Amino acid sequence: MCNCGRKRDNYTQQLNTPGENNFADTQMQDATYFNFQYTGKTALTVTGNFTQNRYRFNFPGDVQPIHSKDAAGMMSLPVLRRTR
């Protein structure tokens, strides 16, 4: 008798088991954020080019954490500046 089905079941269980090899878990752990301050006059909503996250600056001087993968795009906006 062939036990191919059992090997397939074991492989499927390994794929569905949460662990450190899970891409989503790794991506969340590796996330770095940079603070950006809004220098405009009203409010601003910006969508990150990479993550597609929406960032809302509610008032002048508002500071929001921006994902590192979206930071380069945010630096191109004249009304946003990175803070330390």
Side-chain angles (χ1 to χ4, degrees):
M1 271 190 135
C2 176
N3 65 358
C4 297
R6 183 172 301 258
K7 289 181 182 177
R8 186 180 315 120
D9 290 342
N10 289 341
Y11 180 72
T12 303
Q13 288 174 355
Q14 288 176 356
L15 287 178
N16 293 329
T17 303
E20 58 187 81
N21 290 333
N22 188 342
F23 178 74
D25 290 342
T26 304
Q27 190 176 19
M28 291 303 290
Q29 291 172 359
D30 293 340
T32 302
Y33 290 85
F34 299 108
N35 287 329
F36 279 79
Q37 183 176 30
Y38 176 58
T39 61
K41 298 188 190 281
T42 58
L44 175 70
T45 301
V46 183
T47 302
N49 290 337
F50 190 85
T51 65
Q52 300 301 308
N53 288 342
R54 292 180 59 170
Y55 303 103
R56 176 73 179 168
F57 296 88
N58 293 310
F59 52 86
D62 193 6
V63 176
Q64 294 295 320
I66 305 294
H67 194 283
S68 60
K69 293 181 179 180
D70 293 329
M74 298 299 170
M75 285 192 237
S76 68
L77 297 172
V79 294
L80 292 179
R81 69 179 178 94
R82 185 173 163 202
T83 60
R84 306 250 179 248

